[in-house]
Amino acid sequence: AGKQAFSELTSHAAWAAKARAAYPLKVCLASDEKLGAMGDNAEYIYREAGKPDRLIIFCCDGCEDDFKKEPAKFLAKLDAATKAKSAAK
């Protein structure tokens, strides 16, 4: 069981690194503050049944509360930024 748990952690770390590299925003998803402006960013994995996990990056822990109130609004903003980044390639 130990090997499998390590494997999951390793693959999770690889997923997170790839998601960070592909993240389309340089500002907080909730506040539009520049990422890193308030110290360390707060990173979360958003999980929704039947959909792939998504990395969400906020400027601080407090912005998670705003996201939880209206996740669809913020996910739409993230989707638009992802599309714009893809189109720019």
Side-chain angles (χ1 to χ4, degrees):
K3 265 191 168 181
Q4 183 179 4
F6 178 74
S7 171
E8 288 171 10
L9 288 174
T10 303
S11 64
H12 179 73
W15 174 89
K18 186 176 178 183
R20 266 186 222 103
Y23 199 74
L25 297 172
K26 301 289 183 219
V27 296
C28 174
L29 184 60
S31 73
D32 289 324
E33 290 286 331
K34 185 175 182 195
L35 291 175
M38 298 180 70
D40 290 339
N41 297 325
E43 296 183 354
Y44 295 90
I45 297 173
Y46 182 75
R47 292 189 167 103
E48 194 174 352
K51 296 188 178 180
D53 292 348
R54 301 180 71 173
L55 178 69
I56 307 289
I57 304 177
F58 302 115
C59 62
C60 65
D61 286 326
C63 287
E64 179 191 10
D65 294 332
D66 292 334
F67 175 83
K68 285 180 176 178
K69 290 175 193 167
E70 297 181 277
K73 169 184 151 183
F74 293 111
L75 290 171
K77 180 179 172 181
L78 184 59
D79 289 340
T82 301
K83 285 180 185 160
K85 185 177 180 180
S86 294
K89 284 185 180 178

